[in-house]
Amino acid sequence: MATSLLDRALGFLAKTLSRHKAWHRWPFPIALAMILGHRENLRRNNLTDMQSAPPAVPAAPAANDKSFRSADGSHNDLKQPWMGMAGARFGRNMPIENVYGEGPDTLLTPNPRLVSNALMARQAFIPVPHLNVLAAGWIQFMVHDWLSHGPNNKDHTPITVPLPDGDDWPDPIMSLLPTDPDRSQPEADIGRPTAYTNVETSWWDASQIYGSSLERQLLMRTNPQSGEIEPTGKLYMQPEGSLPVEVKSKSDGTQQRQELTGVNGNWWIGLSVLHRIFAQEHNAIVDRLRIDYPDAKGEWLFQKARLVNAALLAKIHTVEWTPALMNSPEGRMAMRGNYWGVMGETFGRAFGRVGEGEILSGIPGSSTSHHTAPYAMTEEFAASYRLHSLIPDSFTFKKHNTGEALLTCSLQQVSGEAVLAIHDKISFDDVMHSLATSNPGALVLHNYPDGLRRLDKDGRFMDLAAVDILRDRERGVPRYCLFRQLIGAHVPKTFADLTDDADWQRQLEEIYGTVDKVDLLVGTLAESRSALHGTPVGFGFSDTAFRIFILMASRRLKSDRFYTDDFTPEVYTPAGFAWVAENSLRTVMSRHCPALQPYFANARSMFFPWKASQP
């Protein structure tokens, strides 16, 4: 009860003080308390269940298998076994009355392609000097674990986007298929907003590595030469330690070779290197477990190693990646506090948890709670993670030990099947070091990658910036001002309130007319230059996105029994539990890229630039 009263007090504090100025304009102790208060308010007001009726669920696991994650994410919550499984619906962070998709009168207003050309197009690459490209690869590595809307609706008329006057688009029209809605519960859905299903599991369960179905999971474990599942519990790797290769059919009827993983859509070199080292990490965990359990069967070793590997990924994201993107005292403390609590890592490792709450000792090991709605990824969370501007348009690969330039490639030349060609030409260590010594792009206007604004998808071109805008409108994600209002944040009344940049104010007004029509993505990129309510100093993304992140980043841990009630040595094994506690991205890199240790030894974060060799 005391914790509940504390949470409510923090929520009241945040709401009251926000009327005067944003949380990041207050001194550190007050700012931190306001972050916790905002999270509490969002938990109470910004979780909406879109599941009209529970979907069909596979049979319950045997009693001795309840300490394993299911392949499809079912039975994480044993009382509501459908929760978070592949095929369940996306939830919402907005009241249900505010999430109806936009109709034909506003869906294309202003024209998404015009927004892309005038406000998004990269004029000159704007880097983030304190980050490396691994930070960009990492977030896509995580997002592929959490969400995907799957194939679009081929039964519906494509959405046609008119081309602005003078547009140099290579096709005569720009069109895309609508998102495929969930039609499984028509009677229960009458009068409700359209809902969409997540084809991946919603849990933080490393489904990007292991897949979201038993069929895909077994494929990751199968030796393609023998056709047999690896009896050791390991993921199959090629003899030289690289990922296996699958042949995929393309929409134009041709085939392409691509590295095999649980999720390998939108593949590029940044995903490739991270998938490889964490597939190797799974196998290293199996080797460690076999020491203590020499008679264990391969299935048991696989499932326990998966638990450990997924938890390590969650830890790295929480205490390493997110603080690197939120490079301020408040941001670092908030995210590390999510994991370790305000008592901190040193206290926790020395003395263990203090009580079952999350504020003192963090979420892992606290009691499970779904707060006000069943757990699910949300459409607003997906919209807030539109971070494509992090991606550079060109990549230069160099020898890690001499700095000699080896190859310069466009984004398209490091994507899809071309990734295999990169690995054929350049050593894995050189690829990894090259990414770790290059900068990603800043999340601001006029910095969206050209390669993604004219993306060749099997002979059909796509402007992903225009698609990002259109998908939010189609799926009922509120526009920027309403979005801010519904999460309890300051709402700009003029373009000058949104951004201090006079040129941006003029450009935004020319496109939108009034500030209330600004799209969510455009608003989050524009607020990077607002002195009063915009992006906090040191943050790589906007305050608006941060509000959703503090809600959903906590929720990914707090709702998952494998990070709460079942985050124990008994479930993980003592060796596995210790592996999570003792390891980090630095130790993972040291284990699988030992030659690169001198180059990241002095980096404060593995997502900050490593030492570069000079030619």
Side-chain angles (χ1 to χ4, degrees):
M1 187 65 177
T3 300
S4 177
L5 289 173
L6 175 59
D7 288 339
R8 293 184 182 188
L10 290 169
F12 177 78
L13 176 75
K15 185 175 181 179
T16 302
L17 295 184
S18 290
R19 295 169 184 162
H20 303 282
K21 54 186 177 182
W23 65 266
H24 50 91
R25 303 299 177 191
W26 293 89
F28 175 83
I30 298 175
L32 191 60
M34 289 178 70
I35 290 173
L36 294 173
H38 283 316
R39 183 179 69 180
E40 172 60 20
N41 292 336
L42 290 164
R43 283 173 169 175
R44 282 190 278 134
N45 303 319
N46 292 92
L47 295 173
T48 300
D49 181 20
M50 296 297 290
Q51 200 76 50
S52 301
V57 182
N64 61 343
D65 289 343
K66 290 180 180 177
S67 64
F68 300 159
R69 289 187 180 275
S70 64
D72 66 357
S74 62
H75 299 94
N76 188 308
D77 185 295
L78 298 175
K79 294 180 180 178
Q80 300 180 85
W82 56 268
M83 191 188 300
M85 66 180 283
R89 290 180 172 183
F90 286 94
R92 307 301 300 233
N93 294 127
M94 302 295 162
I96 197 165
E97 62 269 19
N98 294 107
V99 297
Y100 287 87
E102 297 193 28
D105 53 335
T106 62
L107 183 65
L108 297 176
T109 307
N111 186 321
R113 174 63 176 174
L114 178 62
V115 174
S116 173
N117 288 343
L119 299 173
M120 309 288 279
R122 181 169 279 162
Q123 298 174 342
F125 180 61
I126 305 170
V128 183
H130 81 272
L131 294 177
N132 63 34
V133 172
L134 292 180
W138 181 271
I139 190 52
Q140 191 177 3
F141 184 47
M142 292 292 101
V143 169
H144 277 202
D145 177 14
W146 301 328
L147 55 94
S148 172
H149 287 78
N152 294 321
N153 185 2
K154 295 181 180 180
D155 298 329
H156 200 279
T157 303
I159 302 170
T160 299
V161 179
L163 296 177
D165 292 341
D167 200 310
D168 62 352
W169 191 244
D171 291 335
I173 61 171
M174 178 184 291
S175 66
L176 72 156
L177 293 169
T179 309
D180 196 14
D182 183 13
R183 305 179 184 90
S184 64
Q185 302 161 10
E187 293 184 4
D189 286 335
I190 294 174
R192 292 167 58 92
T194 302
Y196 305 94
T197 54
N198 187 357
V199 302
E200 307 302 334
T201 69
S202 284
W203 304 107
W204 216 341
D205 57 4
S207 61
Q208 79 273 46
I209 297 172
Y210 302 103
S212 291
S213 68
L214 182 59
E215 179 184 19
R216 190 72 177 178
Q217 186 178 107
L218 293 176
L219 185 61
M220 316 308 303
R221 302 169 60 186
T222 299
N223 184 320
Q225 281 73 46
S226 67
E228 296 179 353
I229 295 174
E230 289 287 298
T232 60
K234 292 186 176 183
L235 294 168
Y236 177 76
M237 303 288 286
Q238 298 196 82
E240 73 277 12
S242 61
L243 294 167
V245 175
E246 70 172 333
V247 178
K248 300 179 70 173
S249 297
K250 298 166 66 174
S251 60
D252 61 359
T254 61
Q255 295 182 323
Q256 71 174 24
R257 297 171 67 248
Q258 192 166 306
E259 288 162 294
L260 174 64
T261 67
V263 181
N264 61 2
N266 302 318
W267 196 249
W268 67 290
I269 193 69
L271 284 177
S272 172
V273 296
L274 292 169
H275 271 276
R276 175 168 168 172
I277 65 168
F278 279 97
Q280 293 174 337
E281 184 72 358
H282 171 96
N283 293 348
I285 297 166
V286 170
D287 287 337
R288 173 62 189 88
L289 293 175
R290 193 183 293 114
I291 295 172
D292 288 0
Y293 304 94
D295 299 325
K297 294 182 179 180
E299 181 66 20
W300 185 91
L301 290 166
F302 172 84
Q303 296 294 352
K304 292 300 181 184
R306 180 191 180 181
L307 265 182
V308 173
N309 206 19
L312 180 56
L313 289 170
K315 177 188 175 185
I316 291 170
H317 186 83
T318 305
V319 305
E320 296 185 62
W321 183 85
T322 313
L325 269 286
M326 300 188 316
N327 191 28
S328 74
E330 298 88 354
R332 291 191 295 269
M333 182 63 186
M335 289 300 103
R336 290 184 61 82
N338 242 11
Y339 198 88
W340 296 107
V342 297
M343 303 301 291
E345 177 180 2
T346 302
F347 181 93
R349 289 174 66 87
F351 301 105
R353 292 192 57 82
V354 177
E356 295 184 359
E358 62 188 274
I359 292 181
L360 292 179
S361 295
I363 296 175
S366 67
S367 57
T368 308
S369 176
H370 305 308
H371 304 291
T372 54
Y375 174 74
M377 284 289 104
T378 66
E379 296 289 358
E380 288 74 23
F381 177 75
S384 296
Y385 259 123
R386 299 195 189 281
L387 308 181
H388 293 112
S389 295
L390 290 170
I391 306 294
D393 274 302
S394 65
F395 299 79
T396 298
F397 298 97
K398 302 178 181 179
K399 292 189 72 66
H400 71 273
N401 55 350
T402 67
E404 175 191 352
L406 300 172
L407 190 65
T408 297
C409 302
S410 67
L411 177 55
Q412 186 168 347
Q413 291 169 327
V414 298
S415 302
E417 190 170 14
V419 171
L420 293 174
I422 297 294
H423 288 311
D424 286 341
K425 297 174 184 175
I426 303 171
S427 75
F428 185 79
D429 283 350
D430 289 340
V431 171
M432 180 70 80
H433 183 261
S434 297
L435 297 177
T437 51
S438 303
N439 300 127
L443 296 171
V444 297
L445 293 180
H446 305 301
N447 203 33
Y448 204 99
D450 292 331
L452 296 182
R453 293 187 61 252
R454 189 171 292 197
L455 188 62
D456 187 348
K457 300 286 284 187
D458 304 334
R460 287 187 69 245
F461 288 92
M462 175 187 295
D463 177 352
L464 196 55
V467 172
D468 283 347
I469 297 295
L470 189 58
R471 289 302 186 208
D472 283 353
R473 296 178 189 174
E474 176 198 15
R475 296 169 186 164
V477 175
R479 299 209 185 192
Y480 179 79
C481 288
L482 180 58
F483 192 102
R484 294 272 298 179
Q485 176 187 327
L486 294 173
I487 61 173
H490 166 79
V491 179
K493 294 181 174 60
T494 65
F495 291 107
D497 284 345
L498 174 56
T499 175
D500 294 344
D501 189 301
D503 289 336
W504 288 7
Q505 292 170 24
R506 176 182 50 77
Q507 294 161 7
L508 288 163
E509 186 169 12
E510 287 176 357
I511 299 299
Y512 287 101
T514 58
V515 71
D516 60 292
K517 292 183 173 64
V518 171
D519 290 287
L520 174 65
L521 176 58
V522 171
T524 60
L525 299 177
E527 77 176 47
S528 61
R529 294 185 183 172
S530 173
L532 186 58
H533 293 284
T535 301
V537 175
F539 272 39
F541 45 68
S542 69
D543 174 56
T544 304
F546 174 65
R547 305 290 182 108
I548 298 299
F549 295 165
I550 60 174
L551 170 63
M552 298 303 295
S554 301
R555 190 161 164 76
R556 290 196 303 269
L557 296 170
K558 189 66 174 172
S559 280
D560 191 328
R561 68 179 169 94
F562 292 105
Y563 297 132
T564 50
D565 294 336
D566 286 347
F567 189 63
T568 65
E570 291 74 27
V571 171
Y572 280 73
T573 75
F577 199 73
W579 190 282
V580 177
E582 295 167 3
N583 279 283
S584 63
L585 185 56
R586 191 181 303 272
T587 64
V588 170
M589 289 287 188
S590 297
R591 189 158 29 250
H592 305 299
C593 304
L596 297 182
Q597 280 184 286
Y599 302 95
F600 59 70
N602 293 325
R604 196 184 83 198
S605 166
M606 296 297 284
F607 298 109
F608 289 176
W610 300 2
K611 178 183 176 183
S613 297
Q614 299 301 318

